[in-house]
């Protein structure tokens, strides 16, 4: 599923809300991106499903929102109204500890933790376009999961910037630093 720019115009969330549901879209700094066709691979679905399952088990009884794509995350730059927001992303998996950020449209503000499951057609979009947006919005931790190369890059926020990523093979277990006590066991997704 390739990520392409919808057009060369500058858009807001107000416009975004009027678009048809046919294409999976994100709005980043006013630029609209679509994924065509909007159909993830089997590996993508297995990873997203297993990560979500493990999160639900680890966070049972704790007040966290756990969401998977499609789920709109509006990332304002100031106190602008929703209709004027210029960045709306749809992370593959996210954790929200501040439940007051959740509403009927999705979420307004940065998640505590995000996982993007990469594919050959989305990897550069997730790395180059979306990662700086998560940093600016102060998402505490972002995982870029590569099920093809079997690699995980973990970006942790320190003093408003992401540190150099921790790179590891998808083996054994990885702890989510932003949420104490939560671990993903990659053995459940062996190649």
């Amino acid at each position: 599923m390739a990520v392409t720019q919808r057009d060369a115009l500058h858009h807001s969330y107000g416009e975004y809300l009027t678009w048809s549901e046919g294409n999976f879209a994100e709005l980043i700094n006013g630029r609209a991106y679509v994924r065509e066709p909007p159909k993830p691979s089997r590996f993508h679905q297995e990873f997203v499903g297993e990560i979500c399952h493990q999160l639900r088990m680890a966070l049972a009884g704790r007040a966290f929102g756990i969401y998977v794509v499609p789920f709109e995350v509006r990332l304002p730059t100031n106190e602008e109204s929703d209709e004027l927001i210029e960045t709306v992303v749809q992370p593959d998996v996210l954790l929200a500890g501040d439940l007051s950020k959740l509403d009927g449209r999705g979420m307004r503000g940065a998640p505590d933790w995000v996982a993007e499951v990469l594919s050959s057609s989305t990897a550069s979009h997730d790395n180059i376009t979306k990662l700086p947006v998560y940093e600016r919005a102060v998402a505490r931790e972002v995982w870029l999961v590569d099920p093809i190369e079997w690699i995980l890059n973990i970006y942790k926020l320190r003093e408003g910037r992401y540190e150099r990523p921790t790179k590891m093979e998808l083996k054994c277990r990885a702890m989510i630093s932003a949420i104490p006590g939560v671990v993903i066991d990659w053995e459940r997704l062996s190649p």
Side-chain angles (χ1 to χ4, degrees):
M1 82 186 138
V3 178
T4 59
Q5 201 167 330
R6 181 177 188 257
D7 54 42
L9 302 174
H10 189 88
H11 298 283
S12 68
Y13 185 60
E15 294 169 79
Y16 174 97
L17 290 173
T18 67
W19 300 340
S20 81
E21 299 288 325
N23 283 337
F24 178 77
E26 292 183 311
L27 186 63
I28 298 177
N29 301 321
R31 293 188 178 207
Y33 295 89
V34 294
R35 292 183 186 178
E36 297 179 19
K39 182 180 167 188
S41 72
R42 176 179 66 88
F43 293 117
H44 182 276
Q45 293 299 81
E46 287 174 1
F47 271 76
V48 168
E50 183 61 33
I51 292 168
C52 184
H53 171 73
Q54 290 188 40
L55 292 173
R56 290 203 184 284
M57 298 299 287
L59 293 169
R62 293 172 65 185
F64 276 91
I66 303 166
Y67 298 95
V68 299
V69 69
F71 185 81
E72 294 179 1
V73 177
R74 302 176 314 278
L75 299 173
T77 54
N78 293 304
E79 297 298 317
E80 70 264 29
S81 68
D82 274 359
E83 286 68 27
L84 298 177
I85 290 174
E86 296 180 344
T87 299
V88 182
V89 293
Q90 300 212 26
D92 288 323
V93 186
L94 69 89
L95 288 175
D98 183 352
L99 301 181
S100 70
K101 293 180 179 180
L102 303 173
D103 60 23
R105 291 181 173 170
M107 181 175 187
R108 181 184 168 108
D112 294 292
W113 176 86
V114 169
E116 294 285 2
V117 179
L118 308 179
S119 71
S120 58
S121 60
T122 64
S124 70
H125 177 71
D126 290 334
N127 273 294
I128 297 168
T129 307
K130 288 176 79 171
L131 191 61
V133 168
Y134 290 133
E135 183 179 61
R136 182 189 75 214
V138 193
R140 292 173 32 206
E141 190 169 343
V142 175
W143 286 15
L144 298 181
V145 182
D146 186 337
I148 307 299
E149 298 294 326
W150 212 247
I151 297 292
L152 170 64
N153 283 300
I154 300 174
Y155 293 84
K156 296 177 188 175
L157 199 66
R158 180 185 283 248
E159 297 177 12
R161 306 278 306 175
Y162 286 134
E163 298 176 324
R164 181 178 298 265
T166 301
K167 186 175 186 174
M168 59 192 307
E169 290 185 56
L170 293 178
K171 291 183 176 179
C172 301
R173 301 163 56 116
M175 182 175 52
I176 298 176
S177 299
I179 313 295
V182 179
V183 174
I184 300 299
D185 182 358
W186 298 110
E187 295 290 323
R188 294 179 173 206
L189 283 160
S190 60

